[in-house]
Amino acid sequence: MTTQNIVNDQGELVGERRIDPIYGAVLSEEPIAVGRSTALTALERDERYRNTEAPITYSYEVFQKPPRAGRYMHTSNGKKYYPLDPRAEEVHIEVVAHHLATRARYNGATQHPEFEDRIFYSVAEHSVLVSHYIESVLGKPEFALEGLLHDGSEAYNGDLIRPLKYDPAFRAPFQHVEALNEIAGAQRFNLLYPYPDVVKIADEAVTAAEVEQIIVTDPAEDWSGKLHDDSRVAPFRIDMLLPFAAKQLFLRRYEQIMKTRHLYRAVPSALAL
């Protein structure tokens, strides 16, 4: 508990205010004789409160916002974000692009078949391909934005590798957090949520293409029990762009989609290009 002096227009000490150090709430105000020592008064006040059994009542002068759930994380725009208490207005496309461009697919177990120095493959590049598959292969341009942002929550809550993500011990708690952030993103960009089936179809088709092209598999291993559907394979080349290039690709695709988004769903005014 802290104290704060109350001074009149003549600069004289006329009282003390007791303040909750955590919430900043005013607990009490008491007048003191002009000219009295501040230190002595504070000691007297402390002694009085120690000797009384009456509870201290909190009278808030200013409305205090409720504390956010969980801890905050840092984002690329320098703002705080609370993945356990997400807010739609705190989701930003530039942050999504930046974070997805620096997040590796397959836990980093990737290698370009032609270029030895290309070992990184981002969620951002994957997302762009999913949006193209939905539009050009499945013929559903109205869901291109859902495809581009289907992994948008990973910008804030990360992701688990599929063996863990599909294991009951991890699945339920992770899905809860993932859903919170997916809903915040869906509200921010007015996405159809839950995502339409074409998003899952495109996601699996692009994954199948990635596994064929950039995942190294030892032929001596038994690769049965796959965790992806390879009945469709996206007809795209996987470039494995570096993070900055992947971020720019993602943002260009977003701008392209947003030019016609109004034909299919309302565009929030804050997002209008």
Side-chain angles (χ1 to χ4, degrees), residues 42-96:
L43 290 174
E44 291 176 345
R45 295 293 181 273
D46 289 342
E47 185 66 25
R48 181 181 302 177
Y49 277 95
R50 279 197 296 269
N51 294 334
T52 182
E53 296 181 358
I56 298 175
T57 58
Y58 286 67
S59 58
Y60 291 87
E61 290 186 340
V62 180
F63 174 75
Q64 301 291 324
K65 292 183 178 180
R68 300 290 289 271
R71 301 295 185 93
Y72 68 81
M73 61 173 281
H74 291 272
T75 60
S76 62
N77 65 351
K79 302 293 186 180
K80 293 179 180 179
Y81 184 88
Y82 293 80
L84 294 176
D85 189 10
R87 308 281 171 83
E89 65 272 16
E90 295 172 356
V91 177
H92 301 285
I93 191 62
E94 195 278 338
V95 172
V96 173

Side-chain angles (χ1 to χ4, degrees), residues 160-175 227:
L160 292 174
I161 56 175
R162 289 196 178 195
L164 297 181
K165 194 172 185 177
Y166 293 163
D167 187 278
F170 289 86
R171 188 172 180 82
F174 182 78
Q175 277 192 325
L227 292 176

Side-chain angles (χ1 to χ4, degrees), residues 124-140:
E125 186 175 347
H126 164 82
S127 299
V128 170
L129 295 179
V130 169
S131 75
H132 280 301
Y133 190 91
I134 290 173
E135 181 173 354
S136 62
V137 178
L138 299 180
K140 296 289 185 179

Side-chain angles (χ1 to χ4, degrees), residues 3-242:
T3 59
Q4 184 181 80
N5 292 337
I6 302 174
V7 180
N8 63 17
D9 293 339
Q10 287 73 44
E12 298 172 321
L13 181 66
V14 296
E16 284 184 349
R17 180 180 294 118
R18 300 175 69 84
I19 300 174
D20 186 308
I22 297 177
Y23 296 103
V26 176
L27 305 180
S28 65
E29 289 185 353
E30 294 190 30
I32 61 175
V34 176
R36 288 287 302 276
S37 166
T38 303
L40 180 61
T41 302
L43 290 174
E44 291 176 345
R45 295 293 181 273
D46 289 342
E47 185 66 25
R48 181 181 302 177
Y49 277 95
R50 279 197 296 269
N51 294 334
T52 182
E53 296 181 358
I56 298 175
T57 58
Y58 286 67
S59 58
Y60 291 87
E61 290 186 340
V62 180
F63 174 75
Q64 301 291 324
K65 292 183 178 180
R68 300 290 289 271
R71 301 295 185 93
Y72 68 81
M73 61 173 281
H74 291 272
T75 60
S76 62
N77 65 351
K79 302 293 186 180
K80 293 179 180 179
Y81 184 88
Y82 293 80
L84 294 176
D85 189 10
R87 308 281 171 83
E89 65 272 16
E90 295 172 356
V91 177
H92 301 285
I93 191 62
E94 195 278 338
V95 172
V96 173
H98 187 106
H99 289 211
L100 296 188
T102 55
R103 180 168 294 281
R105 291 269 289 167
Y106 304 100
N107 205 34
T110 52
Q111 174 64 62
H112 195 281
E114 299 176 25
F115 304 103
E116 185 179 3
D117 61 343
R118 296 190 191 181
I119 61 174
F120 175 79
Y121 179 60
S122 70
V123 177
E125 186 175 347
H126 164 82
S127 299
V128 170
L129 295 179
V130 169
S131 75
H132 280 301
Y133 190 91
I134 290 173
E135 181 173 354
S136 62
V137 178
L138 299 180
K140 296 289 185 179
E142 64 268 31
F143 299 129
L145 187 60
E146 281 75 8
L148 183 68
L149 295 174
H150 77 283
D151 281 336
S153 67
E154 293 183 21
Y156 299 105
N157 58 237
D159 197 16
L160 292 174
I161 56 175
R162 289 196 178 195
L164 297 181
K165 194 172 185 177
Y166 293 163
D167 187 278
F170 289 86
R171 188 172 180 82
F174 182 78
Q175 277 192 325
H176 170 70
V177 177
E178 184 178 53
L180 290 176
N181 290 278
E182 284 182 343
I183 291 170
Q187 292 173 341
R188 174 66 166 171
F189 299 102
N190 193 25
L191 304 177
L192 180 62
Y193 187 85
Y195 300 130
D197 292 341
V198 293
V199 171
K200 182 63 174 177
I201 293 171
D203 190 20
E204 293 295 289
V206 172
T207 296
E210 294 163 354
V211 171
E212 281 192 2
Q213 296 180 46
I214 63 174
I215 300 298
V216 179
T217 54
D218 186 337
E221 291 278 7
D222 177 9
W223 295 104
S224 59
K226 295 178 181 178
L227 292 176
H228 69 279
D229 177 7
D230 58 4
S231 60
R232 297 171 183 251
V233 181
F236 303 140
R237 183 186 67 183
I238 310 302
D239 289 324
M240 300 185 70
L241 301 175
L242 291 176

